[in-house]
Amino acid sequence: MPFSPGRGSERSTDRGVVQKKGRILVVEPDDLILGLLQHWLGEAGYVVIVESAQRLGPPVGVAEEPHLVIIDVPTPRTAGQLIRSVRDAYASPILLISARLRRGAGASSDLARQLGVRKVLPKPFTRAELMATVSEAIDGH
């Protein structure tokens, strides 16, 4: 039986086509990290949209907002302009990732509040950390 989008909450069809969980826009300048994010998020059932920081804005022909925007920033101090650009283009929650973020109890939550983003995730991170943080960012917890 061919895939039919109106088949309710089924996650897959007899042909193995997986319905997607949602759209995640990723702004990541490092091709290796970008590839890893695309792989991990794609395997988890998300549609990954890639954009450069210089061209932020709804992609041509895409009418739907992403469920989450993941952006990499060089340092938390320089994140302001990029966060404003994302906010100008999308109403979606933002997950900030950076190698310059600190790990520790409360550090990520405090920084997320200061920057006005949903979540922050220090690099390097594991697949499990990414997926848990994405889920929390999308669900608003």
Side-chain angles (χ1 to χ4, degrees), residues 62-107:
V62 176
E64 297 181 58
E65 283 275 319
H67 291 91
L68 178 67
V69 178
I70 298 176
I71 55 175
D72 176 46
V73 294
T75 68
R77 282 186 224 166
T78 62
Q81 180 58 43
L82 186 54
I83 292 169
R84 279 189 296 282
S85 296
V86 170
R87 291 220 189 289
D88 288 346
Y90 305 100
S92 308
I94 298 172
L95 166 58
L96 194 69
I97 59 175
S98 178
R100 301 283 182 161
L101 297 173
R102 291 188 334 232
R103 289 193 180 270

Side-chain angles (χ1 to χ4, degrees), residues 1 34 43 47-48 53 56 72 75 84 97 99 102 108 126 140:
M1 179 180 341
L34 178 59
E43 277 192 347
V47 173
V48 179
L56 274 173
D72 176 46
T75 68
R84 279 189 296 282
I97 59 175
R102 291 188 334 232
S108 293
T126 66

